[in-house]
Amino acid sequence: MTDDFFEIIRQRIKEAGFSQNQFAKDAGIQQGSLSRFLKGEQASLSGDSVAKIIKFFGAKLVFPGEEAAEPDKDVCFVNARLVPAGEGIEPPQAEDYIAAPLVGEVGAGPGYIPQDEVKSWFLAYRHLPAVRHRRNLLAVEIGKNSDSMLPTLNPGDIVLVDRDDRNVEHPGHMMLVLDPDGAGMIKRVSVREEGHDFRITFYSDNATKHPPLVYSLREDYLDDWDRAIVGRAIWAWSDIREK
């Protein structure tokens, strides 16, 4: 089984169509180790390198007793309508896109809507630097009356969120967060450790109108980060007709 596992990895790398040097660079591993691995030297890759390759392909290891996560939704273009500027050019390929569910509004409006209530789907070009190697994505809409992130984000903007990226060690990242009542907001996040607790600060770009919100991880979120942080905002679509 182990040999089959590594052979599958080798085959995936070969099918990716990258040069060894480019693949190693994109995956974040040593090119020399990759070259030896492709020649059959399994020990040339560390466990960390194998994990990076698995992450590169958006795969996940599932151990006995665990349930596998649902796979990404396949995108199938059926007679895709091309704009005039695209006439005579090769049409889009489904494998170049990832479909993210649009699950509702965030901000001062009705709050975060669970993923099982999908309003629509947004297609993201998977080779964009912000999207590349990410797979656990969802899209949310800035509420019609939510101006807390002006001028960066406007009411009606669509924000793409990576639910696998919840690292709050670097202050200032824009995240999809939840208040203690479970309402969703796009805010910048800062975290400070205080004894056996963490002080979590959500702050807005429109700071003069929307002061920071400060919470205790222990008292407000029962020491559960999942109750506070949904994921990192990585991309946005904006209506600029009036700008």
Side-chain angles (χ1 to χ4, degrees), residues 11-62:
Q11 190 62 34
R12 289 284 186 175
I13 294 173
K14 293 175 182 177
E15 292 174 352
F18 292 91
S19 67
Q20 287 187 21
N21 184 59
Q22 185 62 47
F23 182 88
K25 180 179 178 181
D26 288 352
I29 61 178
Q30 294 294 321
Q31 196 276 334
S33 298
L34 175 65
S35 179
R36 291 192 296 273
F37 172 75
L38 292 176
K39 293 178 181 177
E41 299 179 25
Q42 293 174 189
S44 66
L45 287 184
S46 66
D48 180 63
S49 294
V50 173
K52 289 179 178 179
I53 293 174
I54 292 173
K55 182 179 180 180
F56 178 89
F57 288 114
K60 179 181 179 181
L61 287 176
V62 180

Side-chain angles (χ1 to χ4, degrees), residues 48-123:
D48 180 63
S49 294
V50 173
K52 289 179 178 179
I53 293 174
I54 292 173
K55 182 179 180 180
F56 178 89
F57 288 114
K60 179 181 179 181
L61 287 176
V62 180
F63 295 96
E66 293 183 348
E67 292 186 4
E70 291 188 7
D72 295 339
K73 295 292 186 181
D74 290 333
V75 178
C76 181
F77 292 108
V78 180
N79 295 326
R81 181 178 296 177
L82 301 180
V83 298
E87 292 178 357
I89 302 175
E90 183 179 352
Q93 301 299 309
E95 58 269 20
D96 288 333
Y97 295 85
I98 185 168
L102 176 63
V103 296
E105 293 184 349
V106 295
Y112 174 70
I113 298 176
Q115 187 178 346
D116 57 357
E117 299 183 34
V118 176
K119 294 175 61 178
S120 184
W121 293 86
F122 266 75
L123 296 184

Side-chain angles (χ1 to χ4, degrees), residues 11 34 60 77 108 110 174 188 204 224 226-228:
Q11 190 62 34
L34 175 65
K60 179 181 179 181
F77 292 108
M174 199 178 296
R188 297 192 187 275
S204 306
D224 186 354
D226 291 348
R227 293 174 179 263

Side-chain angles (χ1 to χ4, degrees), residues 148 185 187-188 201-215:
S148 67
M185 306 173 289
K187 299 288 185 181
R188 297 192 187 275
T201 303
F202 300 148
Y203 57 100
S204 306
D205 285 1
N206 189 2
T208 56
K209 188 174 180 179
H210 296 272
L213 304 172
V214 182
Y215 299 106

Side-chain angles (χ1 to χ4, degrees), residues 121-133:
W121 293 86
F122 266 75
L123 296 184
Y125 185 58
R126 66 167 65 247
H127 302 299
L128 286 171
V131 177
R132 188 181 299 141
H133 312 323

